Amino acid sequence: MVMERAIYLTEIPGEFDSAGFSRLYFGAEFCENKIPGVEETAAAILTAADSGLDFSLLTPYVTDRGLTLLRDVFVSLPADRSIEVVCNDYGTLLLLRQERPDIAPVLGRLLSGQKRGFGISSRQADAGPALAETWRASTFDSPILRKYLKDKGVGRVELDNLPQGGTSDFTDSGLAASLYAPFGYVTTTRYCPFAFQDGRWLNIAGECGRACRQGMIEETGDIFNRPVWAAGNAQFYENQDIPSDEELTSQGFDRIVFESSIPV
């Protein structure tokens, strides 16, 4: 099995180095205020095509307002079997199947149910075998969920590269799997400290200026066993210990999604 390599960009630059990659990931995973519009998405698809890359659209967890925005984008997508939509909300998955059954759905890492608590990796030696296994598992291990996803036309699921390692195995499962690197997310919320300006919440009015992309906060303290960054409405860690292609292939992974920066 040949390992596919994708590059993850939250903004499309005039030029970028696509050497070694076969797919472009673009969009927003963590905030509906950063859902790209129809024109921005079309421009990203064109950029991918000009670079010889297939295209995956990233989508976040959403409110009804976000679903409305996504519906417009989904309807505008070209009829191209290489295009994927990464769904991090089950409502988004159902919307995509309703509006564009011809587009391949992917279930994103926000729905993987992986254990991301601070200090887990440093406490593994003191944990019993059952607890240590739980810390390395994912929701996608469930046979019931795997059947549901396949019934909904999902052929791929995506996970983070956990500091404590992962045991999810998709060999002969009927599902392909992707791994994100080098950044993973710790937690996310609809609250965003960048969205409160002039005494009101800009995200409620849909006026977010994406100020979160202008900076982030490195968090420190005894509970952190590695650097953690607060960026917008999510926290992220970095893990440069990426399994080899052989290790990933043995667990049914066939794609690595390389993040060019913290995906805010």
Side-chain angles (χ1 to χ4, degrees):
M1 182 186 299
V2 177
M3 185 64 61
E4 181 183 11
R5 283 169 165 74
I7 183 170
Y8 181 138
L9 300 175
T10 56
E11 297 180 286
I12 300 297
E15 295 182 0
F16 68 97
D17 185 4
S18 62
F21 299 105
S22 60
R23 179 173 290 274
L24 171 64
Y25 272 54
F26 172 77
E29 289 182 281
F30 301 97
C31 179
E32 68 178 30
N33 291 322
K34 291 184 286 189
I35 294 173
V38 170
E39 293 184 2
E40 191 177 0
T41 301
I45 293 173
L46 181 60
T47 296
D50 288 345
S51 302
L53 305 178
D54 292 331
F55 183 79
S56 296
L57 176 66
L58 292 155
T59 64
Y61 54 95
V62 291
T63 62
D64 288 348
R65 170 179 167 267
L67 286 174
T68 299
L69 296 173
L70 288 175
R71 178 179 286 106
D72 292 340
V73 175
F74 292 167
V75 170
S76 74
L77 293 174
D80 184 339
R81 295 184 66 85
S82 69
I83 291 178
E84 299 174 342
V85 172
V86 181
C87 303
N88 283 294
D89 187 308
Y90 282 104
T92 300
L93 172 62
L94 297 180
L95 175 67
L96 179 67
R97 301 309 292 157
Q98 172 185 312
E99 298 291 339
R100 293 299 303 271
D102 58 313
I103 297 291
V106 174
L107 210 66
R109 58 177 167 173
L110 272 70
L111 298 175
S112 68
Q114 292 173 285
K115 306 302 182 289
R116 308 166 186 277
F118 300 122
I120 283 179
S121 57
S122 63
R123 297 200 302 271
Q124 280 198 106
D126 299 324
L131 180 57
E133 173 67 19
T134 298
W135 285 344
R136 301 175 69 192
S138 78
T139 302
F140 299 147
D141 297 337
S142 165
I144 295 175
L145 179 57
R146 290 184 177 189
K147 181 181 184 302
Y148 171 81
L149 295 178
K150 286 185 281 188
D151 288 345
K152 293 299 181 184
V154 175
R156 175 177 297 277
V157 295
E158 304 198 312
L159 298 91
D160 265 329
N161 184 26
L162 298 175
Q164 67 267 26
T167 56
S168 293
D169 191 332
F170 300 96
T171 306
D172 300 325
S173 69
L175 293 170
S178 310
L179 188 77
Y180 284 75
F183 299 105
Y185 89 94
V186 180
T187 188
T188 180
T189 171
R190 288 179 60 191
Y191 167 78
C192 177
F194 292 93
F196 189 76
Q197 298 179 23
D198 300 325
R200 65 192 183 99
W201 291 99
L202 300 186
N203 57 336
I204 293 177
E207 300 169 343
C208 173
R210 302 181 181 181
C212 56
R213 289 181 173 169
Q214 299 173 17
M216 60 192 70
I217 303 168
E218 182 174 354
E219 301 179 323
T220 59
D222 293 340
I223 64 172
F224 303 119
N225 64 345
R226 63 182 57 242
V228 172
W229 293 272
N233 63 336
Q235 290 176 315
F236 301 90
Y237 65 86
E238 183 175 9
N239 183 10
Q240 290 287 354
D241 185 14
I242 303 171
S244 68
D245 288 3
E246 292 74 18
E247 290 176 282
L248 290 174
T249 299
S250 71
Q251 292 179 241
F253 288 81
D254 64 359
R255 180 185 297 172
I256 304 176
V257 183
F258 289 97
E259 299 147 298
S260 57
S261 60
I262 291 177
V264 63

